[in-house]
Amino acid sequence: MTNENTPASSLTDNEREAIAQMPYEEARDQLIQAVQALEAGGLNLDQSMRQWELGEALAKRAQSLLGEVRAKLDAAQAEQATAANTAGTQDNLA
């Protein structure tokens, strides 16, 4: 169900759930296909809007996954920096 602030979507709940479960590589590859379909032209308005919505959902999924990886890398780097700062001190002997 939509309200005045939420535009209707051509993506089904099942499609949205499938995208939400996709690994990064699959989301990226399908995003590339959606962009190529739009760039190729020849689609009617409804088909173009569907490709756009699909692309938006896939881009959000890929960006979310990249954000998770970035957070893990940042945490690992912070942990490594902390360990390097205490190396050779009494703090790491406890």
Side-chain angles (χ1 to χ4, degrees):
M1 179 174 219
T2 62
N3 63 34
E4 291 177 16
N5 297 326
T6 306
S9 175
S10 64
L11 299 181
T12 66
D13 290 341
N14 287 343
E15 289 171 319
R16 289 187 181 282
E17 181 60 30
I19 290 170
Q21 300 302 316
M22 280 183 188
Y24 172 79
E25 292 79 6
E26 185 177 353
R28 180 202 59 214
D29 291 347
Q30 287 194 24
L31 174 57
I32 290 168
Q33 291 173 2
V35 170
Q36 289 173 339
L38 286 167
E39 288 177 342
L43 301 174
N44 66 35
L45 181 59
D46 289 337
Q47 292 168 327
S48 293
M49 286 303 300
R50 178 167 170 72
Q51 288 301 311
W52 181 269
E53 290 175 6
L54 183 59
E56 285 288 318
L58 291 164
K60 285 179 185 176
R61 173 63 178 160
Q63 192 62 40
S64 173
L65 291 167
L66 289 174
E68 290 174 15
V69 170
R70 170 54 59 197
K72 289 177 184 177
L73 288 173
D74 289 346
Q77 288 175 335
E79 184 177 323
Q80 186 178 31
T82 299
N85 289 337
T86 61
T89 67
Q90 294 297 316
D91 293 343
N92 65 356
L93 299 177

